[in-house]
Amino acid sequence: VHVVYPGVDARIASIVRRPRARALALVVGTVERRKNLVRAVELLRAVPELDLVSVGPPTPYLDEVRARIVELGLTERVTLLGYIGRAELDALYAKATLALVPSRYEGFGYALAEALCAGLPVIAARSSSLIEVAGDDAPLVDPDDADGWIEAVRALLADRDAAEARAASARVRAAARFSWPLAAAACVEIYNRLAG
């Protein structure tokens, strides 16, 4: 079996990282139940130095997320941006401290691949395709392990310089793994083998 990964725009790997002083977690993806955004929101209670920005189109699940934010008193620390343009997302990739991908299921995990290519320290769920996409470049936590998420985020924030250095190294590997030229070449090779 030959797996061909979709590519990530090569431009993303050239984003210059300038993380802001106060820690910021970025969650990218449609706000739907399987993406498990509530898990990321809830961990903020135990990590008071962290804010969170969610980027992605809404579904009815957004009402549940908003209610939980209010219930936990986190309205000043969580920003729900909805859909944004590419330039705005690139700016968030530049200034965020880390990316969180707490999904219970992903067909591929494009948000994780893109965060790795952007050079963000990232923590992902130990679920579905995210395990393969992360490889050795992101710590994995069970999507429903509340304490595990808190511990992983605290560990990352305890040494942000080390996390940045690991992410810079992971960026090189991710940009190579998730490149469109590599995907195209692999498809051509498969087609030639089948035609031959």
Side-chain angles (χ1 to χ4, degrees), residues 25 37-48 50 52 72 74 77 98 100 102 123 146 149-151 153-154:
L37 179 58
V38 164
R39 172 67 57 228
V41 167
E42 289 174 342
L43 73 82
L44 295 178
R45 290 179 301 176
V47 189
L50 182 66
L52 185 144
L72 296 173
L74 296 170
R77 295 175 50 207
L98 70 153
L100 298 173
I123 302 167
W149 281 94
I150 292 165
E151 289 167 16
V153 169
R154 283 178 172 164

Side-chain angles (χ1 to χ4, degrees), residues 3-144:
V3 176
V4 180
Y5 296 121
V8 170
D9 189 331
R11 173 190 48 73
I12 292 171
S14 66
I15 289 172
V16 177
R17 295 274 298 133
R18 291 191 180 93
R20 71 178 201 174
R22 180 168 167 81
L24 177 66
L26 177 63
V27 181
V28 177
T30 302
V31 182
E32 58 186 332
R33 188 170 306 282
R34 72 179 172 89
K35 299 281 192 177
N36 202 20
L37 179 58
V38 164
R39 172 67 57 228
V41 167
E42 289 174 342
L43 73 82
L44 295 178
R45 290 179 301 176
V47 189
E49 68 273 28
L50 182 66
D51 296 333
L52 185 144
V53 172
S54 165
V55 173
T59 70
Y61 172 66
L62 181 60
D63 294 335
E64 183 180 323
V65 174
R66 283 192 176 122
R68 192 70 174 129
I69 290 167
V70 171
E71 181 183 347
L72 296 173
L74 296 170
T75 53
E76 298 299 313
R77 295 175 50 207
V78 179
T79 304
L80 304 169
L81 290 179
Y83 179 82
I84 62 173
R86 189 76 245 180
E88 290 174 274
L89 182 56
D90 287 356
L92 285 169
Y93 279 138
K95 75 178 183 179
T97 310
L98 70 153
L100 298 173
V101 187
S103 303
R104 290 190 179 94
Y105 174 79
E106 289 287 347
F108 169 63
Y110 200 81
L112 173 55
E114 199 165 83
L116 289 169
C117 289
L120 262 79
V122 58
I123 302 167
R126 186 181 295 110
S127 69
S128 60
S129 62
L130 296 176
I131 297 166
E132 183 175 348
V133 173
D136 295 327
D137 289 326
L140 299 173
V141 182
D142 184 281
D144 295 310

